[in-house]
Amino acid sequence: MDRLISGQTTCNSVEKRSNGDSNLDNSISNAVRDKLRLMRDIIEKEDPASKVTDDATLLRFLYARESNVEKACEMFAKYRKWRQTCVPLGYIPETMVCNELKHKFVYIQGYDKVGRPVMVLLLARHIACQSNMEDFKRFVVYAFDKMSASATRGQTKFSIIADFADWAYKNVNLRGTIAAVQTLQDFYPERLGKIYLINRPYIFWAAWKIVSPFIDKVTRQKIVFTDDKYVKETLLKDIDENQLPEIYGGKSPLVPIQDCVVPNWPPVTSS
């Protein structure tokens, strides 16, 4: 994938918004297209402003509710209300998350073999007591939004490498983790491709017992508990060496999320 000079990552533009189904994969069945049109009719009747939402976005909500149009519409309505309340600008400016950014524990790191952007979390750099809960939740939205915008054309998912190396009690943020999980599941349906949990210390399992009940079945299926002896081999199955971070035996330098260049980011929003 493209790389910008000075080690920054160049990612593709944010999701295009258009009417009709021209942005859908040709492999989608007519039955699904019919449900998608019905879903659009319902949500646009209830909220005319949702007309700008593209079909690929609606499709994610439809899939997340197993093609149940009524449930998909309910989920999308909650998402729209949440965005209007919590993300009124349409995105989270970096000036609102500078406290989290300064710790440099989140990176956008190239792409995997199917074009999903890869996020790397160096979790030992996150100090729980130095993080305000509201700031952290805003940062989660900032990170998920930028990851979503950086996906390659035709790809809507991203993957995460969550690195617990040197993770200790001072790094444990149970409330923040649960909030991040719920935000991902409720407002970013069908965005997660895989999440690799690597270098897990013993205390990870104590935290896992508390957090895991909040993880739904679909998300659990995307979790890879990576054997510490085979981290590089496991990651290389899905990520080319030139896209894999150097710290895992690849050839790519780490790029902090704030230094990742995404065309058309921040997104242009209507007034």
Side-chain angles (χ1 to χ4, degrees):
M1 298 298 171
D2 294 335
R3 304 287 297 180
L4 188 67
I5 57 173
S6 301
Q8 293 177 311
T9 303
T10 301
C11 303
N12 285 30
S13 61
V14 294
E15 203 169 60
K16 301 293 183 184
R17 294 179 177 177
S18 61
N19 296 322
D21 54 16
S22 60
N23 57 331
L24 294 180
D25 191 305
N26 291 330
S27 65
I28 294 173
S29 69
N30 289 332
V32 172
R33 290 176 187 272
D34 289 342
K35 288 188 175 184
L36 189 60
R37 292 189 186 99
L38 176 58
M39 182 180 175
R40 179 172 290 284
D41 288 343
I42 293 171
I43 65 170
E44 288 185 6
K45 183 178 180 180
E46 295 178 353
D47 180 10
S50 65
K51 185 176 182 179
V52 299
T53 304
D54 69 6
D55 290 318
T57 298
L58 297 185
L59 190 62
R60 291 191 293 104
F61 285 85
L62 187 62
Y63 283 158
R65 289 298 175 261
E66 299 180 332
S67 295
N68 183 306
V69 174
E70 182 179 355
K71 291 182 179 180
C73 288
E74 290 177 358
M75 186 182 192
F76 181 78
K78 291 179 181 178
Y79 161 78
R80 287 279 294 178
K81 183 176 181 180
W82 170 77
R83 291 292 295 192
Q84 292 165 357
T85 303
C86 299
V87 198
L89 297 177
Y91 72 101
I92 303 294
E94 291 181 353
T95 54
M96 295 181 67
V97 291
C98 52
N99 183 58
E100 301 295 336
L101 289 173
K102 71 182 181 182
H103 297 294
K104 293 187 176 182
F105 68 96
V106 179
Y107 300 81
I108 293 183
Q109 204 57 44
Y111 300 84
D112 66 15
K113 294 179 180 179
V114 294
R116 296 179 297 217
V118 179
M119 175 190 288
V120 176
L121 307 178
L122 300 184
L123 295 167
R125 297 185 182 181
H126 173 70
I127 311 300
C129 66
Q130 297 177 5
S131 180
N132 173 277
M133 186 61 178
E134 292 306 311
D135 286 349
F136 182 77
K137 289 195 289 188
R138 278 193 293 269
F139 181 71
V140 168
V141 175
Y142 163 82
F144 286 162
D145 277 358
K146 198 164 185 179
M147 283 297 292
S148 299
S150 66
T152 57
R153 182 175 178 81
Q155 179 58 259
T156 61
K157 298 178 185 290
F158 54 77
S159 291
I160 301 173
I161 300 173
D163 190 342
F164 290 86
D166 300 320
W167 197 64
Y169 286 106
K170 66 179 180 180
N171 308 119
V172 178
N173 185 353
L174 294 175
R175 289 179 60 223
T177 301
I178 291 170
V181 168
Q182 292 177 327
T183 298
L184 177 67
Q185 294 175 165
D186 293 344
F187 306 124
Y188 295 85
E190 297 297 310
R191 282 294 192 190
L192 182 64
K194 285 186 179 182
I195 178 168
Y196 307 85
L197 306 183
I198 69 174
N199 300 319
R200 304 177 305 279
Y202 180 76
I203 65 167
F204 166 85
W205 296 109
W208 175 255
K209 288 182 180 180
I210 298 172
V211 173
S212 59
F214 295 90
I215 303 176
D216 64 28
K217 179 179 66 174
V218 174
T219 303
R220 282 174 181 264
Q221 293 173 347
K222 300 174 182 180
I223 298 174
V224 180
F225 291 94
T226 307
D227 189 321
D228 289 350
K229 296 179 181 179
Y230 305 105
V231 169
K232 180 180 179 180
E233 292 81 355
T234 300
L235 295 177
L236 282 175
K237 290 179 181 178
D238 296 323
I239 306 170
D240 287 328
E241 188 177 28
N242 66 342
Q243 298 291 308
L244 188 66
E246 294 170 335
I247 59 173
Y248 306 126
K251 298 181 178 179
S252 180
L254 286 172
V255 181
I257 189 171
Q258 61 266 39
D259 294 337
C260 177
V261 177
V262 178
N264 301 318
W265 179 271
V268 177
T269 57
S270 57
S271 59

